[in-house]
Amino acid sequence: MCGIWALFGSDDCLSVQCLSAMKIAHRGPDAFRFENVNGYTNCCFGFHRLAVVDPLFGMQPIRLKKYPYLWLCYNGEIYNYKKMQQHFEFEYQTKVDGEIILHLYDRGGIEQTICLLDGVFAFVLLDTANKKVFLGRDTYGVRPLFKAMTEDGFLAVCSEAKGLVTLKHSTTPFLKVEPFLPGHYEVLDLKPNGKVASVEMVKYHHCRDEPLHALYDNVDKLFPGFEIETVKNNLRILFNNAVKKRLMTDRRIGCLLSGGLDSSLVAATLLKQLKEAQIQYPLQTFAIGMEDSPDLLAARKVANHIGSEHYEVLFNSEEGIQALDEVIFSLETYDITTVRASVGMYLISKYIRKNTDNVVIFSGEGSDELTQGYIYFHKAPSPEEAEEESERLLRELYLFDVLRADRTTAAHGLELRVPFLDHRFSSYYLSLPPEMRTPKNGIEKHLLRETFEESNLIPKEILWRPKEAFSDGITSVKNSWFKILQEYVEHQVDDTMMANAAQKFPFNTPKTKEGYYYRQIFERHYPGRADWLSHYWMPKWINAADPSARTLTHYKSATKA
């Protein structure tokens, strides 16, 4: 996990412009480099490093003696770099996983390169010999990337939007900044004056398709057919492999543990894999909540069962409310459910950074979207519509859960790893017949639960524990986090402000006082940038006025049982 920043064709003083790069310093607390491009005085790279692999030679932009015309700045982890190196017999100059991008590009061009990367990444690749700039981002947008480009060919890219919003350019007083789409790469021509022109934007991978790099990986051979025992066996093989490949780091690994199904499966599998890899330190797991929180109790059960060194972080409503401003600044969004769920994750990341030496953190993000884990999936009209909705949620992860997971951890110099979004695991899951993936017997994620039924990985009551939104599970059932927040904002936003909301915020007009309050904070930090969020996250197929799972009838009946 690092912070990347690059400019092409700047017409302002670079030493002034580079101050913007310092806005993402939290992403790489270990080292910083700012480097101009030979022959292009108005082009430069900025890089903040979190040293996770190869502490000695991991600085960027990566330059190799063999390819003096290539410059690479990337944020991410390429899990199959050793496999690719061995298969194609590349001579490596460093031990950095990202070096594989340069070798693959030299061998087969940008499209083949990006399709062969098994990992999470956002990159800027400059080829001064062929006068090209390439931008690329992983399938689900696990690693963030933003860009700004003007009509006269000035290009700026950065891991977070906050590193671009204050940039100056002569042709525009307001630089339009937008997220770079996941699963895409862009080709741009580099002109002699350092400006660029976009040639093409290509969608290189759909989450349903088996990735090209599957041809080269060493996963046990999967069994054909959709017989239930075959499918369960294949899922266990792929999930184990998804966790195992993510052990790649020179830093200590920890795990977030909410006590829900997803984080519990990740923590249990991770601990097993660490033992098999003969890692000497104990796995530390971390849970956060208020007094009487169901998440804390459930996480404690799981930690006792798997034998992790467990830590509980307590916070009160005042601390949560006080964190809202810095959370929204970190997130760069005002989406209601994202902000709610981010407070706990932000505070626990802060605790991990301050009190432990864990740097790489595993988590269960992506499972709800992939395995139809949201409670509203019970209301899906058909398995086919549920499948369509699952894929929509996966496409939009970069606006919601993946955004939250990255920004809340990166704000404290931590790197998050999310095995459920592994390319092989997710594409196989999505290839299964739609009716296999829907909720069954009133229980969401039935197939995933069934897959691990006989494994004794986690306690049975956790394996079959109903869905609890992270933003709700951290507080007691009697007083949900969303209710605490709504009671607080009731005194911050009055009825007159709400009456004028459409006039003040014509785009994505907030419908509630809570939404209005978050939007106010967002506009204070990022005025005029509301279009970074295309729409609010809300459940489908039900007439919901609030995104909290606890407002849904299914949840209410489950808690009474």
Side-chain angles (χ1 to χ4, degrees):
M1 202 280 302
C2 302
I4 63 173
W5 182 90
L7 299 186
F8 298 90
S10 172
D11 59 8
D12 204 2
C13 173
L14 284 183
S15 59
V16 173
Q17 298 276 55
C18 78
L19 294 175
S20 291
M22 302 316 291
K23 297 276 179 65
I24 58 160
H26 50 273
R27 297 189 70 87
D30 295 332
F32 171 66
R33 178 182 284 173
F34 184 68
E35 192 168 327
N36 287 69
V37 178
N38 304 343
Y40 295 90
T41 54
N42 58 356
C43 301
C44 59
F45 290 93
F47 179 67
H48 293 276
R49 184 168 193 224
L50 181 69
V52 169
V53 176
D54 192 358
L56 194 57
F57 294 108
M59 273 308 280
Q60 298 185 32
I62 297 177
R63 314 282 314 284
L64 301 178
K65 287 177 185 171
K66 194 175 179 185
Y67 316 119
Y69 47 87
L70 297 182
W71 308 64
L72 173 69
C73 240
Y74 83 103
N75 165 212
E77 299 78 45
I78 313 300
Y79 302 120
N80 64 342
Y81 79 103
K82 285 184 178 171
K83 190 78 184 162
M84 291 286 103
Q85 179 190 0
Q86 289 158 6
H87 181 83
F88 294 113
E89 298 179 339
F90 294 139
E91 280 184 42
Y92 257 43
Q93 193 175 304
T94 72
K95 292 176 184 170
V96 180
D97 51 302
E99 184 180 327
I100 194 66
I101 296 172
L102 298 176
H103 294 287
L104 287 172
Y105 170 73
D106 179 71
R107 180 186 174 275
I110 192 64
E111 176 134 22
Q112 191 183 69
T113 298
I114 204 163
C115 291
L116 287 175
L117 301 178
D118 181 10
V120 293
F121 53 83
F123 68 75
V124 188
L125 174 62
L126 168 64
D127 179 346
T128 55
N130 293 295
K131 308 287 188 291
K132 289 277 189 278
V133 176
F134 304 97
L135 308 178
R137 191 174 180 191
D138 67 73
T139 301
Y140 296 113
V142 173
R143 291 291 171 261
L145 190 65
F146 285 82
K147 68 176 260 199
M149 192 168 162
T150 63
E151 285 183 8
D152 71 330
F154 167 59
L155 171 70
V157 293
C158 188
S159 296
E160 296 182 21
K162 57 181 68 68
L164 301 178
V165 289
T166 56
L167 287 173
K168 302 283 186 290
H169 190 68
S170 58
T171 62
T172 173
F174 185 83
L175 201 59
K176 185 174 170 56
V177 175
E178 53 196 357
F180 188 85
L181 287 175
H184 286 71
Y185 69 83
E186 185 172 11
V187 182
L188 304 108
D189 282 333
L190 179 67
K191 298 174 181 176
N193 64 356
K195 308 271 188 192
V196 300
S198 182
V199 177
E200 59 175 343
M201 183 84 158
V202 179
K203 183 174 176 63
Y204 67 87
H205 185 228
H206 188 285
C207 55
R208 241 194 345 255
D209 303 332
E210 185 175 74
L212 184 62
H213 56 71
L215 294 169
Y216 304 96
D217 71 22
N218 49 5
V219 179
D220 295 347
K221 193 157 176 56
L222 300 182
F223 298 93
F226 296 127
E227 197 269 319
I228 188 66
E229 289 307 315
T230 299
V231 167
K232 282 156 59 175
N233 192 54
N234 288 344
L235 285 172
R236 283 191 295 270
I237 289 170
L238 289 170
F239 188 69
N240 263 307
N241 185 61
V243 173
K244 187 176 183 178
K245 72 175 74 163
R246 283 166 173 76
L247 300 184
M248 180 187 92
T249 180
D250 298 323
R251 306 292 285 271
R252 183 167 185 158
I253 293 171
C255 190
L256 298 182
L257 180 58
S258 71
L261 173 68
D262 310 323
S263 66
S264 300
L265 285 175
V266 170
T269 308
L270 174 59
L271 194 138
K272 190 172 70 128
Q273 296 284 1
L274 288 171
K275 280 181 180 168
E276 284 176 18
Q278 298 185 319
I279 301 293
Q280 296 305 303
Y281 56 79
L283 174 67
Q284 294 181 336
T285 50
F286 301 90
I288 187 165
M290 296 182 183
E291 296 282 1
D292 189 27
S293 135
D295 274 8
L296 287 182
L297 297 171
R300 204 177 299 157
K301 277 182 195 164
V302 177
N304 288 337
H305 183 89
I306 67 175
S308 64
E309 189 180 297
H310 190 58
Y311 293 83
E312 293 180 356
V313 181
L314 286 171
F315 78 105
N316 58 38
S317 52
E318 193 180 315
E319 287 169 314
I321 286 162
Q322 278 180 348
L324 283 172
D325 188 86
E326 53 196 91
V327 164
I328 290 169
F329 175 73
S330 294
L331 290 176
E332 304 172 334
T333 188
Y334 50 93
D335 176 64
I336 295 167
T337 191
T338 305
V339 173
R340 284 178 186 169
S342 293
V343 171
M345 204 158 176
Y346 183 88
L347 292 173
I348 201 169
S349 299
K350 192 175 188 175
Y351 173 88
I352 293 168
R353 167 51 82 178
K354 190 177 175 184
N355 298 287
T356 80
D357 59 350
N358 292 275
V359 173
V360 172
I361 306 295
F362 277 64
S363 177
E365 262 70 35
S367 175
D368 285 324
E369 291 76 10
L370 177 66
T371 65
Q372 303 183 16
Y374 292 114
I375 287 169
Y376 71 85
F377 273 97
H378 290 278
K379 305 285 187 187
S382 69
E384 289 70 28
E385 284 185 66
E387 174 181 56
E388 202 178 298
E389 173 67 356
S390 172
E391 288 187 20
R392 181 189 72 83
L393 289 171
L394 287 165
R395 282 196 305 275
E396 294 180 357
L397 266 172
Y398 77 105
L399 293 170
F400 302 110
D401 276 29
V402 150
L403 178 150
R404 163 179 58 79
D406 174 82
R407 298 307 192 287
T408 53
T409 49
H412 302 290
L414 303 176
E415 174 180 296
L416 202 74
R417 298 197 175 172
V418 284
F420 277 106
L421 293 177
D422 180 76
H423 293 166
R424 292 290 316 272
F425 180 78
S426 59
S427 64
Y428 177 75
Y429 204 98
L430 294 170
S431 76
L432 300 173
E435 56 276 9
M436 279 188 102
R437 293 178 268 149
T438 54
K440 285 185 180 50
N441 309 325
I443 299 168
E444 64 285 343
K445 293 193 269 204
H446 198 280
L447 175 60
L448 184 65
R449 298 174 198 271
E450 213 183 330
T451 296
F452 293 97
E453 172 83 87
E454 305 301 322
S455 67
N456 196 36
L457 264 181
I458 60 177
K460 283 281 191 291
E461 70 264 33
I462 301 296
L463 186 66
W464 295 97
R465 183 188 176 202
K467 167 71 183 163
E468 176 85 84
F470 181 53
S471 57
D472 295 331
I474 57 175
T475 46
S476 73
V477 177
K478 291 181 223 100
N479 198 13
S480 284
W481 176 227
F482 80 92
K483 284 184 183 165
I484 293 167
L485 286 165
Q486 287 171 352
E487 283 163 18
Y488 170 74
V489 300
E490 187 63 38
H491 305 290
Q492 308 300 315
V493 179
D494 61 35
D495 294 343
T496 311
M497 293 159 88
M498 285 306 296
N500 296 321
Q503 202 175 336
K504 187 174 170 84
F505 305 122
F507 179 76
N508 271 346
T509 304
K511 301 285 193 294
T512 63
K513 290 186 177 182
E514 185 187 3
Y516 190 103
Y517 184 71
Y518 299 160
R519 182 66 173 273
Q520 268 190 319
I521 296 173
F522 175 85
E523 292 289 346
R524 191 164 70 245
H525 291 300
Y526 306 109
R529 307 288 182 176
D531 60 351
W532 290 345
L533 177 68
S534 53
H535 59 282
Y536 290 103
W537 193 100
M538 283 294 277
K540 204 172 178 180
W541 304 307
I542 46 177
N543 191 19
D546 190 281
S548 170
R550 285 196 181 167
T551 63
L552 307 185
T553 51
H554 179 89
Y555 180 86
K556 286 169 187 168
S557 59
T559 53
K560 285 173 191 164

